[in-house]
Amino acid sequence: MCRRDEAGLFFAPSKEPTAARLSREEAAKRVCGRCPVMVECREHALLQPEPYGVWGGLTAAERRVVLARRRRRDMELRKAARGAIAAAG
C-alpha cells in the first residue's frame, strides 16, 4: 500500500509546517493501520534504524523512544542475569 499512491505521506517535504507534518503523519499512520506487514515494517525500521519517515505506524521520534526503552530493558535483563549467576555461584 505505501509503495503506491500514498508514498508521499511517509516522508516530510523540506520545511514542512508543523500542522501539515502532524496531519500527514496521521494520514500515513492510518495507511499503516491497514497494512498486513505493519509489524515487519516497524521492526525493519527499528533494526536499521531508519532515521526519517513513518515506518510501521511510528514516526522517527516514536521509534527513538521505542529503541531507548528496548535498550533500558535489555540492560536491566543483563543486570538481572549477572545477579542470578553470581547468586548461584
Side-chain angles (χ1 to χ4, degrees), residues 36-59:
V37 296
M38 181 181 79
V39 173
E40 293 87 344
C41 179
R42 179 179 296 179
E43 283 305 310
H44 162 82
L46 291 166
L47 291 172
Q48 286 309 306
E50 292 289 349
Y52 306 106
V54 174
W55 290 77
L58 297 177
T59 65

Side-chain angles (χ1 to χ4, degrees), residues 14-79:
S14 63
K15 300 182 181 182
E16 181 179 35
T18 301
R21 178 182 53 82
L22 293 173
S23 176
R24 180 188 48 73
E25 288 174 346
E26 286 305 313
K29 289 178 179 187
R30 285 193 297 276
V31 172
C32 290
R34 301 187 307 265
C35 182
V37 296
M38 181 181 79
V39 173
E40 293 87 344
C41 179
R42 179 179 296 179
E43 283 305 310
H44 162 82
L46 291 166
L47 291 172
Q48 286 309 306
E50 292 289 349
Y52 306 106
V54 174
W55 290 77
L58 297 177
T59 65
E62 291 165 336
R63 291 192 302 277
R64 285 190 295 274
V65 169
V66 170
L67 288 171
R69 286 181 182 156
R70 283 186 181 184
R71 280 190 296 272
R72 272 194 306 275
R73 183 199 65 211
D74 291 347
M75 285 187 338
E76 289 170 4
L77 289 172
R78 283 193 297 274
K79 184 178 176 182

